[in-house]
């Protein structure tokens, strides 16, 4: 079992910056990939960024050059630094972790944290 606790959401002006973090606990040694999804009203949940245990990253095109995902394996945390924020970045951001057990993948989700970017 893995538990994910997110923090750092809030309200920020367009052009500003905000950092959000996620701390994992439980069977953290089994985690291979962590990342962030977001969901805005009326839109599908989309992958924002992901990072593997080895440090390989992936970003959706709309955030490339503005967002940076990082991971501290020793602390079992993943963070997302969001710069040059735009109103369209407004969404609930969800932390996730993927684990592998007995030949199956399992996904765990955080509770979500609201990020609101004002014009």
């Amino acid at each position: 079992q893995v538990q994910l606790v997110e923090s750092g959401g809030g309200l920020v002006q367009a052009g500003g910056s905000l950092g959000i973090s996620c701390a994992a606990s439980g069977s953290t040694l089994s985690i291979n990939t962590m990342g962030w999804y977001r969901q805005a009203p009326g839109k599908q949940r989309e992958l924002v960024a992901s990072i593997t245990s080895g440090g390989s990253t992936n970003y959706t095109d709309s955030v490339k050059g503005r967002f940076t995902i990082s991971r501290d394996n020793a602390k079992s945390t993943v963070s997302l630094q969001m710069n040059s924020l735009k109103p369209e970045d407004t969404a609930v951001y969800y932390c996730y972790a993927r684990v592998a057990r007995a030949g199956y993948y399992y996904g765990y989700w955080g509770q979500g944290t609201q990020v609101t970017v004002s014009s």
Side-chain angles (χ1 to χ4, degrees):
Q1 294 290 322
V2 173
Q3 296 80 44
L4 303 173
V5 179
E6 299 156 307
S7 61
L11 176 66
V12 64
Q13 293 283 341
S17 298
L18 190 68
I20 55 177
S21 298
C22 174
S25 62
S27 301
T28 58
L29 291 178
S30 65
I31 298 173
N32 49 50
T33 300
M34 299 185 73
W36 294 92
Y37 283 73
R38 68 184 180 187
Q39 187 166 24
K43 294 185 177 181
Q44 295 183 356
R45 185 174 298 188
E46 65 172 345
L47 176 69
V48 179
S50 64
I51 184 168
T52 68
S53 297
S56 297
T57 59
N58 183 49
Y59 299 90
T60 191
D61 287 343
S62 64
V63 308
K64 287 181 179 177
R66 300 189 297 120
F67 291 10
T68 302
I69 189 170
S70 61
R71 180 173 180 171
D72 187 334
N73 290 335
K75 297 181 179 179
S76 299
T77 60
V78 62
S79 299
L80 187 69
Q81 179 62 44
M82 301 178 286
N83 299 324
S84 301
L85 282 161
K86 304 174 181 179
E88 51 263 44
D89 294 318
T90 296
V92 177
Y93 285 71
Y94 297 91
C95 177
Y96 86 92
R98 189 180 71 179
V99 305
R101 292 192 301 271
Y104 294 91
Y105 283 114
Y106 297 86
Y108 295 89
W109 295 89
Q111 77 283 359
T113 185
Q114 177 70 47
V115 173
T116 302
V117 184
S118 62
S119 301

